Amino acid sequence: MAKTNIVARTGNEAMAEAMRQINPDVVAAYPITPATEIVQIFAGYVADGLVDTEFVPVESEHSAMSACIGASAAGGRIMTGTSSQGLALMAEMLYIASGLRLPIVMADVNRALSSPINIHCDHSDTMMVKDAGWIQIFSENAQEAYDNMIQAVRIAEEALLPVIVTTDGFIISHCMERIEIIDDKDVKNFVGEKKLGNYLLNVDKPITIGAMDLPDYYFEHKRQHIEAMIESKDIILSVAKEFSGLFGRSYGLFEVYRLEDADCAIVLMGSTVGTAKAVADNLREKGIKAGVLGLRVFRPFPKEEIAQALKNIKAIAVMDRSDSMNAQEGPVCLEVKASLFDDSASPNNVLNYIYGLGGREVRIEDIESVYKGLGEVIKGKSKNKITYLGVRE
Amino acid sequence: MAKEKKKGWKALTKGGVIEGGGTAKEFKTGDWRSERPILLSEKCINCLACWMYCPDSAVIMKDGKVAGFDYDYCKGCGICAHECPVKGKAIKMIPDNHG
């Protein structure tokens, strides 16, 4: 097993540390709370000569992603970081990055979208770009954020898809935790050299990228993109397996926690997974069979795997830290329900809890109330399909 | 223009990359045309105004004289006929059915 160093780091510091060890060719970014620190710290590494990276301080996030696209098409290994309104401003270019199949890696600190203006955590920014053709990986804590960044480079370059690695704004980004950092040389070996296919700076093999696709080709290229997303599930798992073998920390498409014999389960992603696990432990001591499914990979969505993992659960609560403003369930719940719908062996008792919008705190008691609701459903009581957890009436 | 057999999604390059240089030449833009220019050689004074003005370099020259039009690239804009200084015009635009 490779040697690791135990340090105290915030989520932002951990992601910046991963970027230093990955040593990308170009980083183009624009500051935005609560993600500013990631590239600010990284810019310090550039100034101190600790990395070989060309740092491009641009005038907006739209330009940041545009510069990343150009640099990635040129052949470089490219990273950036943003949050909320910044991600929204990038949205147009996100589709271009993924459509051109450019393996850019982005650190994204989840923050509510305006309006009303708010700088705290929810998942509405990342959910807004869930259909942009990027792989999306969520992190429960700073350790996962660090590990996910390192794995994301390999995943992106093998799948030829860009990857967003998220943390939860302030909860992970600014809280200091004990994490294990891998030695520089081991990260360098793990990420390796970028394997180059077609790239613009190859003067021996000129190419055109971004050519216009009329109705006779666009669909075929989108079909390729869809296939890449389908195939990326295996790539994510094989990279995780190699990572686990070298560094000892295991990752999958999602984490199952005390789920095998559970009667009731909560499905959610991000930092609240940790809170749910703590509550499940407490309830287990009281004899309640509570479990948690912590979703790590939201894109591609692990449909069959989730249906399999939840098939024996009597009542399920899917917790969404955003709302799709569709007058029905939140985005994670809809996808979980769709997974279960196609698997006839699965139960129908799925409740949706919209929680934590704009950084609204989610406490142990809140999670307990969710499990309590599931317990009532198991006893045959009817419950509201959607609950807005902790909102004042 | 002859119908080409188009490749399926598995056979195309990833991300719509076009390999090789100078490939714009292979994109024949003449099928946009609704009118085509016809050269009336007996009236042409070979002033080359059409050759200079053509935005698609589709006026064919032979031994310093206008020899006709390259219908693979001529978009039928009519600038050549418009600029032709000959009284009664040495270039005439006619409807094009791409036959």
Side-chain angles (χ1 to χ4, degrees), chain A residues 198 206-208 216 220-221 224, chain B residues 6 9 12-13 16 18-20:
Chain A
N198 283 317
I207 55 163
T208 299
D216 54 350
E220 278 70 24
H221 285 125
Q224 284 185 337
Chain B
K6 294 189 172 80
W9 65 269
L12 293 172
T13 55
I18 299 168
E19 292 172 339

Side-chain angles (χ1 to χ4, degrees), chain A residues 99-101 160 198 205-211 214 216-217 220-221 223-224 227, chain B residues 4-21 23 27:
Chain A
L100 294 176
R101 308 289 303 280
L160 282 181
N198 283 317
K205 192 183 170 195
I207 55 163
T208 299
I209 72 151
L214 291 171
D216 54 350
Y217 280 102
E220 278 70 24
H221 285 125
R223 179 65 186 85
Q224 284 185 337
E227 191 68 12
Chain B
E4 55 173 320
K5 172 102 172 116
K6 294 189 172 80
K7 288 177 180 173
W9 65 269
K10 289 175 190 166
L12 293 172
T13 55
K14 281 177 182 154
V17 163
I18 299 168
E19 292 172 339
T23 51
F27 184 28

Side-chain angles (χ1 to χ4, degrees), chain A residues 108-172:
Chain A
D108 166 37
V109 181
N110 294 309
R111 167 188 146 180
L113 286 169
S114 296
S115 177
I117 191 165
N118 177 294
I119 57 168
H120 291 276
C121 174
D122 69 31
H123 296 166
S124 56
D125 53 352
T126 307
M127 289 299 101
M128 177 191 160
V129 299
K130 67 185 160 54
D131 301 332
W134 285 55
I135 289 171
Q136 293 191 341
I137 302 176
F138 282 74
S139 316
E140 182 190 322
N141 49 41
Q143 181 72 65
E144 289 194 9
Y146 170 82
D147 292 344
N148 284 338
M149 286 290 271
I150 293 165
Q151 292 175 63
V153 174
R154 288 276 306 275
I155 293 165
E157 290 172 14
E158 284 177 38
L160 282 181
L161 286 174
V163 179
I164 290 174
V165 176
T166 82
T167 63
D168 281 357
F170 293 104
I171 302 161
I172 301 174

Side-chain angles (χ1 to χ4, degrees), chain A residues 49-78:
Chain A
L50 298 178
V51 287
D52 307 307
T53 309
E54 179 80 25
F55 183 75
V56 192
V58 286
E59 80 284 6
S60 78
E61 286 84 356
H62 190 279
S63 302
M65 188 43 63
S66 300
C68 288
I69 288 167
S72 184
R77 179 175 272 165
I78 315 302

Side-chain angles (χ1 to χ4, degrees), chain A residues 232-243:
Chain A
S232 71
K233 268 207 277 193
D234 287 342
I235 293 170
I236 293 165
L237 289 172
S238 78
V239 170
K241 195 175 173 191
E242 191 183 327
F243 185 90

Side-chain angles (χ1 to χ4, degrees), chain A residues 75-292:
Chain A
R77 179 175 272 165
I78 315 302
M79 302 183 84
T80 186
T82 194
S83 177
S84 185
Q85 308 304 122
L87 189 65
L89 188 51
M90 278 184 184
E92 179 192 12
M93 304 316 293
L94 295 182
Y95 278 76
I96 293 171
S98 64
L100 294 176
R101 308 289 303 280
L102 301 174
I104 298 162
V105 172
M106 169 154 58
D108 166 37
V109 181
N110 294 309
R111 167 188 146 180
L113 286 169
S114 296
S115 177
I117 191 165
N118 177 294
I119 57 168
H120 291 276
C121 174
D122 69 31
H123 296 166
S124 56
D125 53 352
T126 307
M127 289 299 101
M128 177 191 160
V129 299
K130 67 185 160 54
D131 301 332
W134 285 55
I135 289 171
Q136 293 191 341
I137 302 176
F138 282 74
S139 316
E140 182 190 322
N141 49 41
Q143 181 72 65
E144 289 194 9
Y146 170 82
D147 292 344
N148 284 338
M149 286 290 271
I150 293 165
Q151 292 175 63
V153 174
R154 288 276 306 275
I155 293 165
E157 290 172 14
E158 284 177 38
L160 282 181
L161 286 174
V163 179
I164 290 174
V165 176
T166 82
T167 63
D168 281 357
F170 293 104
I171 302 161
I172 301 174
S173 68
H174 285 63
C175 286
M176 192 158 286
E177 295 178 58
R178 169 207 182 275
I179 69 165
E180 294 180 15
I181 300 278
I182 303 161
D183 266 2
D184 287 1
K185 64 169 180 3
D186 292 326
V187 175
K188 191 177 173 184
N189 287 338
F190 184 80
V191 297
E193 289 272 319
K194 187 183 179 190
K195 288 180 198 74
L196 291 167
N198 283 317
Y199 62 103
L200 285 174
L201 287 184
N202 184 358
V203 289
D204 296 326
K205 192 183 170 195
I207 55 163
T208 299
I209 72 151
M212 180 143 159
D213 250 10
L214 291 171
D216 54 350
Y217 280 102
Y218 183 89
F219 203 170
E220 278 70 24
H221 285 125
K222 282 294 142 190
R223 179 65 186 85
Q224 284 185 337
H225 193 165
I226 293 162
E227 191 68 12
M229 197 52 91
I230 294 167
E231 288 176 353
S232 71
K233 268 207 277 193
D234 287 342
I235 293 170
I236 293 165
L237 289 172
S238 78
V239 170
K241 195 175 173 191
E242 191 183 327
F243 185 90
S244 164
L246 288 167
F247 309 120
R249 290 185 293 279
S250 299
Y251 290 93
L253 300 168
F254 49 79
E255 179 190 1
V256 288
Y257 188 77
R258 309 190 83 160
L259 204 63
E260 294 72 22
D261 63 338
D263 291 329
C264 51
I266 293 179
V267 179
L268 75 177
M269 51 193 192
S271 57
T272 317
V273 173
T275 319
K277 287 195 283 193
V279 173
D281 284 344
N282 293 344
L283 294 176
R284 286 273 175 175
E285 282 178 21
K286 293 176 189 165
I288 297 164
K289 289 183 175 177
V292 178

